[in-house]
Amino acid sequence: MKIVFVNHYGVTYGETGPTRNFEFAKVFSDMGHDVEFWTCGYNHYTGQYHQSIKKKITSLTYEHGVKVRRFWSIKYRKSFLLRGLNILVFSILTALYALFTSRKDYYVVTSPPLTLALLIVCKIKRQSFVLDVEDLWPDFLIELGLKNRLVITIMRFYERILYKYSDLITAVSEGMRKHVLSYEERKDVLLVPLGVHISRYKNFQENSIQYEWERNNFIVMYCGAHNPANSLETLVELAPLLEEYRDIKIVLVGDGASKSRLKELIGEKGITNIILEDPVPSHQVPNILSKADICVTLLKDLPSFRKVRPNKIFEYMAASKPIICGIKGEASDIIIESKSGFVVDINNLNHFKDKILFFYNNRDEIIKAGNNGFKYISEHGDRIKIIQFFESQLNERLRNK
């Protein structure tokens, strides 16, 4: 197969950000397919341009056996308008390049963001367009406070066209799959979970970085995006309830729009048991998670968020860490089914505290819950098996054309 994976926000190994689509591209390439990975040369997570894209519209590199093409776009930080322009420029450049490049069997395009440009090119050139749904735009944005009626109308139009005219749709959670099925009368919506590369958690090499907080402390860790949706202010409110336990430290690893505000809150409240760490590249995630005793994941209680399976859960499971989950819906169902931790109401801080103290006072339960999580992810979230399933589905569709 000739296939292009397109993820505006995707990154390759060694960069900060999601590597899922690049890993799909790499495994497909290892299987013998002709594969390219397209992404934006401006990193959404670090606010920096990739070194290959400086003073260029597009660049081509070969990384881990995969052709990686990056496209220039507008730089933005904390600007809704500039972010929109960044999406628009990337969409136009990728569509123009696809229009004039050789024909492909598939374009696998991740949403968000929502864009029609590549879909139109695929229809013109009679190429198959696969929509990979990782978030439900604009629903998530509306529930987080988006009120611009023009923007919402445009996004709804894009969403309807993409759901109707994509040749195949995949979704990373069952809730999202059902959402798409209810939106358009179609049956070809595949569940292709995020998953994790389990072998990396079994065989990771510890780096030389040593953190002062990891010595003789009980570490409660969050590793991921620091954005309004993640409700990390909850941990700032929780921290004072744990101050009497001087060896319990809450460590937040990552970056995002809320990080500066978190720093302000921690300073204003005089909190000393929360440590903020910079984000780490994906290949270092197993190493930093190994330093945790338990892990937490949170999201605001919004209807759309009840349909998600945050990849943090799978990463924590692969690292054999117990999970305290403050997300209602599909995520909490997984924690309960796997017996890998506890589900809490993020508005009930005393309940949250009690579950942390349960593991603090019962260290054998840490091992038990961690092992349960690892068993679950090995059976249901091994990324290599997920990619092999997806490859078989694309091959079958190609044969039946």
Side-chain angles (χ1 to χ4, degrees):
M1 284 186 290
K2 293 182 178 181
I3 183 168
V4 178
F5 289 89
V6 184
N7 186 334
H8 188 161
Y9 304 118
V11 299
T12 62
Y13 299 147
E15 298 179 88
T16 299
T19 59
R20 173 182 181 254
N21 297 90
F22 178 72
E23 289 187 354
F24 270 63
K26 184 183 183 309
V27 175
F28 269 68
S29 179
D30 293 343
M31 291 177 176
H33 300 296
D34 184 353
V35 182
E36 294 181 33
F37 174 66
W38 293 4
T39 188
C40 186
Y42 175 77
N43 189 301
H44 169 74
Y45 304 92
T46 65
Q48 302 295 323
Y49 285 104
H50 190 269
Q51 58 184 5
S52 69
I53 200 68
K54 292 178 180 178
K55 299 181 181 180
K56 295 180 181 178
I57 296 298
T58 183
S59 69
L60 178 65
T61 59
Y62 291 81
E63 302 176 36
H64 301 276
V66 178
K67 289 182 282 188
V68 179
R69 183 163 293 281
R70 293 179 174 86
F71 294 85
W72 180 89
S73 194
I74 292 171
K75 185 176 183 177
Y76 69 92
R77 291 303 268 180
K78 301 179 182 178
S79 170
F80 184 81
L81 176 61
L82 290 180
R83 184 175 182 180
L85 290 174
N86 174 279
I87 293 170
L88 179 62
V89 170
F90 178 79
S91 300
I92 292 172
L93 291 179
T94 52
L96 287 173
Y97 194 86
L99 184 62
F100 294 105
T101 195
S102 60
R103 191 179 184 281
K104 312 297 181 185
D105 294 308
Y106 290 103
Y107 279 84
V108 181
V109 181
T110 297
S111 168
L114 297 168
T115 174
L116 299 183
L118 268 175
L119 174 65
I120 293 169
V121 170
C122 285
K123 294 305 178 184
I124 292 172
K125 297 183 70 172
R126 296 186 179 181
Q127 301 169 126
S128 292
F129 182 94
V130 181
L131 181 66
D132 169 38
V133 179
E134 292 193 6
D135 271 334
L136 296 178
W137 277 23
D139 295 66
F140 286 0
L141 299 179
I142 294 170
E143 291 173 8
L144 285 170
L146 177 64
K147 296 187 179 351
N148 189 306
R149 299 181 71 177
L150 176 60
V151 172
I152 292 172
T153 300
I154 293 172
M155 283 188 171
R156 285 290 186 208
F157 173 73
Y158 281 13
E159 180 188 36
R160 185 168 62 252
I161 296 299
L162 285 166
Y163 288 172
K164 184 172 183 177
Y165 292 105
S166 294
D167 296 287
L168 176 66
I169 299 178
T170 65
V172 298
S173 74
E174 184 60 24
M176 292 185 191
R177 193 183 79 87
K178 290 178 178 178
H179 172 88
V180 177
L181 287 170
S182 67
Y183 206 94
E184 283 291 335
E185 294 182 1
R186 57 184 304 157
K187 298 179 181 179
D188 53 345
V189 181
L190 298 179
L191 176 63
V192 182
L194 294 169
V196 291
H197 208 307
I198 292 176
S199 64
R200 294 215 181 102
Y201 288 79
K202 288 181 179 178
N203 307 314
F204 76 90
Q205 293 182 343
E206 289 199 42
N207 59 32
S208 59
I209 299 175
Q210 297 292 318
Y211 299 94
E212 186 176 344
W213 46 260
E214 66 180 287
R215 299 188 189 120
N216 302 316
N217 285 318
F218 184 87
I219 304 302
V220 180
M221 184 176 288
Y222 170 88
C223 184
H226 291 38
N227 290 320
N230 302 110
S231 196
L232 296 181
E233 294 84 358
T234 300
L235 298 179
V236 177
E237 295 171 5
L238 174 69
L241 302 183
L242 296 166
E243 280 185 333
E244 64 181 287
Y245 303 90
R246 295 186 178 277
D247 58 337
I248 296 181
K249 304 297 180 184
I250 301 172
V251 178
L252 309 183
V253 182
D255 201 358
S258 296
K259 188 158 188 174
S260 59
R261 178 55 183 157
L262 289 171
K263 288 180 181 178
E264 291 175 4
L265 287 173
I266 291 168
E268 290 170 3
K269 295 176 180 289
I271 292 171
T272 59
N273 56 349
I274 292 184
I275 296 101
L276 299 179
E277 288 291 346
D278 292 333
V280 298
S282 60
H283 70 278
Q284 292 181 12
V285 169
N287 183 71
I288 200 161
L289 288 181
S290 72
K291 303 177 187 302
D293 290 285
I294 63 175
C295 293
V296 299
T297 183
L298 311 166
L299 280 176
K300 289 184 180 295
D301 184 16
L302 301 174
S304 292
F305 288 164
R306 298 187 180 193
K307 302 174 183 177
V308 305
R309 297 181 183 184
N311 207 43
K312 285 181 283 294
I313 287 178
F314 298 143
E315 291 173 340
Y316 297 163
M317 285 180 169
S320 298
K321 300 300 177 182
I323 302 165
I324 297 181
C325 177
I327 307 172
K328 295 181 180 179
E330 194 164 333
S332 60
D333 291 344
I334 290 173
I335 301 302
I336 293 169
E337 179 185 349
S338 63
K339 299 179 181 178
S340 58
F342 295 113
V343 175
V344 297
D345 181 349
I346 61 174
N347 296 312
N348 188 337
L349 295 180
N350 284 317
H351 184 227
F352 204 151
K353 170 191 171 183
D354 290 344
K355 296 309 179 186
I356 291 175
L357 293 180
F358 173 84
F359 285 120
Y360 178 76
N361 293 317
N362 298 277
R363 304 300 170 96
D364 56 329
E365 293 294 332
I366 291 178
I367 297 173
K368 183 178 178 181
N371 288 340
N372 287 342
F374 186 81
K375 180 181 178 182
Y376 181 90
I377 197 66
S378 298
E379 295 175 357
H380 303 284
D382 186 331
R383 185 168 285 176
I384 298 300
K385 294 177 182 177
I386 291 169
I387 295 172
Q388 289 170 343
F389 164 75
F390 183 52
E391 189 264 355
S392 70
Q393 294 296 308
L394 294 186
N395 257 330
E396 183 178 349
R397 292 177 69 90
L398 201 58
R399 286 194 299 267
N400 293 334
K401 266 192 173 183

